[in-house]
Amino acid sequence: MASQNLQSVPAELSPEELEREQAGQAYFDRIISEDSRIEPRDWMPEAYRKTLLRQISQHAHSEIIGMQPEANWITRAPSLKRKAILMAKVQDEAGHGLYLYSAAETLGQSRDKMTSDLIAGRARYSSIFNYPAVSWADMGAIGWLVDGAAICNQVPLCRASYGPYGRAMVRICKEESFHQRQGFEILLELSNGTPAQKAMAQDAVNRWYAPALMMFGPPDDDSPNSKQSMAWNIKRFSNDELRSRFVGMMVEQVKVLGLTLPDKDIRFNEETKKWEHGPLDWNEFKDVLAGKGPCNAQRLERRREAHDDGAWVREAAAEYARKQAEKEYAA
Amino acid sequence: MTAPVNENENKDFSIEGHGDISVGVKGAGASGDGSASATRITPGNALRPEDIALEIRKGQVKPSDDVAEYALRIGDDGLILAQRLGHWISRAPELEEDVALGNIALDQLGHARSFLTYAGAAWDKSEDDLAYFRREHEFRSAHLFEQPNGDFAVTIARQFIVSHYQFELYKRLTGSTDATIAAIAAKALKEVDYHRDHSAQWVLRLAGGTEESRRRIVRAFKLVWPYVEELFEDDELTGRLAESGAGVQPSSLRADFDQLTGEILSEAGLDDELALERIPQSLGGGRQGKHSEHLGYLLAEMQVLAREHPGASW
């Protein structure tokens, strides 16, 4: 598989290699123009591979780190049914992490390497998980708003040009839809409950609304990578476009909940036919991204601890497998 | 991935597609299928706690006091263990184990919910009344279930004992004269069979892996084995239930338990080193509500939110 960058090192290629690269590029360009799919063994530009690897591994890390705020409430869930739903949900997230790491591995990087990048602080994950889940209602708000925003982002990714990613996203989106409905239902139950429960629900929506909107990424005029990703059919809609659609959906659903969104400026712009929202604090977004969120250190430390504490188990499993293979070979 | 998953793949590219975030309010969660998850396969015709609760409301089933007490014991075992195992999710040695331990916790919780729902029918209490509003001495779980997770080896050793015990118990309870107990056991049996396999595989791996893993699994078994005897103790209640055919004498499970666990421990080469027969057995008392120091903390955490809002619906 070609691993050199056509743009940067063509001079070093032999004529045969150059021909192969050019044929590869032509094939790639055709696949993209036909809106068809690139598969792991196909030639692809190095920058495409890198972009995907970054995006898929970040997505995988987000699933894994995203388990923590919800795992925080498993032992305290206020009914056994809710406890079961929450456990199943967090378990689904581990599953999503696994599919995504597998998809990323098809691009030539091992899960071990991605994990070590994560715990060394060299990789990113969705910034929203650096906020704390301080009340039970946060389980509702995370499901409704955070998973809801994630779905808006992810549904178009089901037809991302890279096959393994698109296919992983199909399954993930199905489960995420279920999660989002569960979150909505938690809030609905709280909102129709005691005044204390309703206040808990409103407080959670107030805290998660803006971070959820910022999950779509910076505004379009400040999102340098978006254009290339859209040209490569990885990304299908711009950040602002997705954000606007999301706001439009939430504004209807919040009415059913009997709660309000903490944004007085939401309106439907008749001219652009788009939903608009109030200003978001992008400085806070950048701060949290830069490690200044309330839980950045805690989240990474938990991941590191689980990884380090589990090292002897993984070593034992590998050693046992080696010995078994040896036995079979000898037999 | 199977065909139904792919069918949406190419035809619906819109944001309102299959991963939609519409919330059909009536549909959202109304199925009550709380544990539904695409990563979890429930074998057989899953009997859900909601189904049992419905039968109770319709007056179709009601346990005798003895059966209710018995269901309470078995349900408490599962509940307390699920609470312990739930702590592993996001902390396991590898992602596959986050999923596996989460699955086992979910299964245990599912069994517990069914048993507690059924037990509660005798006293007009819901599963949540029983889980969240009883005090420490009212819980009937055996001591093994409340033992702390420890390291992965301790969790595996505990699970190895539990799942072999539960396998023998549920196998027999599928023939219970109480139809609800038999139905819950039939569902649980299939799941516990998988738990047994999971823990047995890890016992073999840890015993036959590295020096460190062997040292840890040996230490783990020594730590949890004192709580084995209690699982197999008979008392008046189990005597009456064995007589009626609704339950079994715990002691009647012991020979099969010893044989099956013995086979794995022997394959793992641990039997001599552990010398299990020489490990002193704890007095137990969980079935009478006498617990170790661990249960109080576990319940405090589990019950805190529900107790802050008595009477609230979630």
Side-chain angles (χ1 to χ4, degrees):
Chain A
M1 204 185 298
S3 59
Q4 281 142 324
N5 186 323
L6 187 61
Q7 281 76 42
S8 60
V9 286
E12 293 169 18
L13 297 177
S14 68
E16 294 80 21
E17 284 170 329
L18 187 61
E19 198 179 326
R20 215 164 44 234
E21 292 285 298
Q22 282 167 344
Q25 180 79 54
Y27 175 79
F28 178 85
D29 291 344
R30 182 166 62 78
I31 292 289
I32 295 296
S33 70
E34 288 171 356
D35 202 359
S36 189
R37 284 201 151 149
I38 300 295
E39 296 297 336
R41 288 167 183 278
D42 294 342
W43 186 94
M44 62 188 87
E46 199 47 32
Y48 176 83
R49 181 189 303 278
K50 274 191 183 148
T51 297
L52 275 168
L53 195 54
R54 191 189 66 232
Q55 181 169 338
I56 301 172
S57 60
Q58 280 179 13
H59 189 169
H61 298 327
S62 301
E63 296 282 357
I64 299 308
I65 296 291
M67 291 166 71
Q68 292 183 27
E70 290 175 295
N72 186 40
W73 282 92
I74 287 176
T75 55
R76 291 177 293 166
S79 79
L80 296 186
K81 180 183 159 192
R82 292 287 174 210
K83 190 191 287 287
I85 295 170
L86 187 59
M87 268 193 200
K89 183 183 176 198
V90 182
Q91 188 202 27
D92 282 350
E93 282 154 10
H96 297 174
L98 279 171
Y99 320 142
L100 289 163
Y101 282 129
S102 300
E105 283 187 310
T106 66
L107 292 160
Q109 194 166 89
S110 71
R111 202 212 296 182
D112 278 350
K113 169 77 169 73
M114 290 182 265
T115 303
S116 59
D117 283 349
L118 173 65
I119 60 184
R122 289 190 297 266
R124 279 188 171 161
Y125 54 86
S126 185
S127 188
I128 197 157
F129 299 119
N130 292 316
Y131 290 92
V134 291
S135 85
W136 170 253
D138 289 16
M139 299 303 95
I142 289 176
W144 181 51
L145 290 169
V146 178
D147 292 333
I151 294 165
C152 283
N153 256 331
Q154 290 170 7
V155 166
L157 292 175
C158 293
R159 56 185 189 118
S161 56
Y162 188 58
Y165 190 31
R167 288 187 288 272
M169 291 315 303
V170 171
R171 181 164 180 181
I172 290 172
C173 283
K174 282 179 183 251
E175 295 181 352
E176 292 291 352
S177 297
F178 179 76
H179 297 171
Q180 201 258 354
R181 283 173 181 237
Q182 294 296 342
F184 180 85
E185 203 216 350
I186 287 175
L187 291 176
L188 189 64
E189 192 81 35
L190 291 174
S191 175
N192 291 313
T194 64
Q197 284 179 302
K198 184 166 186 172
M200 193 195 290
Q202 185 63 59
D203 170 65
V205 170
N206 291 350
R207 281 181 290 111
W208 290 95
Y209 169 75
L213 289 198
M214 290 194 272
M215 283 175 70
F216 293 95
D220 293 348
D221 51 22
D222 188 25
S223 180
N225 297 325
S226 286
K227 210 174 156 198
Q228 177 63 74
S229 280
M230 287 177 80
W232 275 332
N233 296 345
I234 298 173
K235 207 172 156 70
R236 300 282 174 170
F237 301 99
S238 80
N239 296 351
D240 286 335
E241 197 170 348
L242 289 168
R243 192 168 12 246
S244 155
R245 286 184 189 231
F246 177 69
V247 168
M249 284 183 263
M250 294 301 104
V251 89
E252 289 306 314
Q253 293 180 8
V254 79
K255 289 181 199 158
V256 182
L257 287 175
L259 300 172
T260 55
L261 295 174
D263 185 345
K264 294 185 296 293
D265 300 327
I266 295 181
R267 67 179 196 114
F268 186 72
N269 185 325
E270 287 293 345
E271 274 171 39
T272 60
K273 300 288 175 206
K274 283 187 194 304
W275 283 93
E276 292 173 358
H277 55 82
L280 294 166
D281 185 352
W282 291 104
N283 288 329
E284 178 178 310
F285 178 80
K286 283 173 187 161
D287 278 350
V288 176
L289 208 58
K292 296 182 194 171
C295 301
N296 295 57
Q298 176 194 337
R299 300 288 186 237
L300 268 195
E301 179 54 22
R302 164 87 77 84
R303 197 68 234 128
R304 192 179 301 123
E305 202 178 9
H307 188 74
D308 291 353
D309 288 353
W312 69 271
V313 179
R314 296 190 300 276
E315 281 159 20
E319 181 60 10
Y320 180 75
R322 193 190 61 75
K323 287 180 188 167
Q324 290 301 107
E326 216 170 69
K327 262 191 220 163
E328 263 174 45
Y329 184 72
Chain B
M1 218 175 273
T2 51
V5 176
N6 286 330
E7 89 188 1
N8 288 314
E9 194 179 339
N10 293 317
K11 68 179 182 197
D12 195 349
F13 293 161
S14 74
I15 196 165
E16 290 82 12
H18 50 81
D20 76 303
I21 58 168
S22 62
V23 278
V25 178
K26 281 183 185 156
S31 72
D33 190 2
S35 54
S37 145
T39 57
R40 177 167 179 273
I41 297 163
T42 303
N45 290 322
L47 173 76
R48 303 168 313 159
E50 286 82 0
D51 301 329
I52 299 170
L54 189 65
E55 288 180 350
I56 293 167
R57 279 202 299 278
K58 288 181 179 168
Q60 291 164 339
V61 295
K62 186 170 181 178
S64 68
D65 279 355
D66 275 358
V67 168
E69 280 292 339
Y70 191 57
L72 192 65
R73 291 180 180 187
I74 304 172
D76 281 349
D77 286 350
L79 175 61
I80 301 305
L81 183 61
Q83 185 72 4
R84 283 290 187 225
L85 289 171
H87 188 76
W88 273 107
I89 304 174
S90 78
R91 294 180 173 88
E94 51 191 344
L95 293 179
E96 284 81 352
E97 286 305 307
D98 278 304
V99 175
L101 293 173
N103 229 329
I104 295 170
L106 263 173
D107 289 343
Q108 292 287 335
L109 182 57
H111 310 158
R113 293 185 59 206
S114 291
F115 281 117
L116 293 181
T117 299
Y118 190 45
W123 314 300
D124 201 21
K125 291 198 182 301
S126 70
E127 52 172 329
D128 288 336
D129 293 335
L130 292 175
Y132 292 96
F133 294 94
R134 273 183 302 158
R135 297 176 58 202
E136 213 172 320
H137 66 271
E138 295 173 291
F139 277 79
R140 293 289 177 263
S141 46
H143 284 210
L144 178 62
F145 300 90
E146 68 202 48
Q147 294 308 307
N149 287 338
D151 64 7
F152 186 70
V154 174
T155 289
I156 289 299
R158 185 183 63 197
Q159 198 59 45
F160 178 76
I161 297 167
V162 166
S163 48
H164 281 83
Y165 158 74
Q166 288 180 331
F167 183 80
E168 296 306 326
L169 176 65
Y170 293 145
K171 196 165 73 182
R172 285 158 180 81
L173 288 182
T174 57
S176 169
T177 52
D178 184 298
T180 305
I181 296 284
I184 303 170
K187 175 179 189 282
L189 181 64
K190 294 172 189 153
E191 296 173 352
V192 165
D193 195 18
Y194 155 78
H195 306 172
R196 212 168 52 134
D197 184 50
H198 173 263
S199 61
Q201 300 237 19
W202 272 113
V203 167
L204 293 173
R205 277 188 207 114
L206 297 182
T210 62
E211 268 178 42
E212 182 181 8
S213 68
R214 188 175 178 85
R215 180 179 61 72
R216 285 185 188 245
I217 193 68
V218 166
R219 176 182 157 275
F221 269 114
K222 290 187 172 169
L223 213 56
V224 293
W225 202 264
Y227 307 103
V228 168
E229 186 63 37
E230 184 190 6
L231 301 174
F232 299 100
E233 273 169 12
D234 302 338
D235 62 12
E236 285 179 15
L237 177 72
T238 57
R240 289 196 299 274
L241 288 164
E243 187 92 348
S244 74
V248 292
Q249 286 284 35
S251 63
S252 70
L253 314 173
R254 187 68 202 249
D256 286 345
F257 171 88
D258 282 345
Q259 196 200 326
L260 289 170
T261 53
E263 281 170 14
I264 303 290
L265 293 175
S266 153
E267 190 184 338
L270 288 173
D271 39 1
D272 289 343
E273 192 171 347
L274 285 173
L276 294 173
E277 64 286 351
R278 289 210 295 274
I279 296 179
Q281 293 297 295
S282 151
L283 288 174
R287 304 300 186 208
Q288 291 81 46
K290 291 179 224 160
H291 293 280
S292 68
E293 291 172 348
H294 305 302
L295 188 65
Y297 292 95
L298 183 149
L299 294 181
E301 185 173 353
M302 183 173 84
Q303 297 177 334
V304 60
L305 179 59
R307 287 186 174 224
E308 255 178 57
H309 303 266
S313 162
W314 302 94

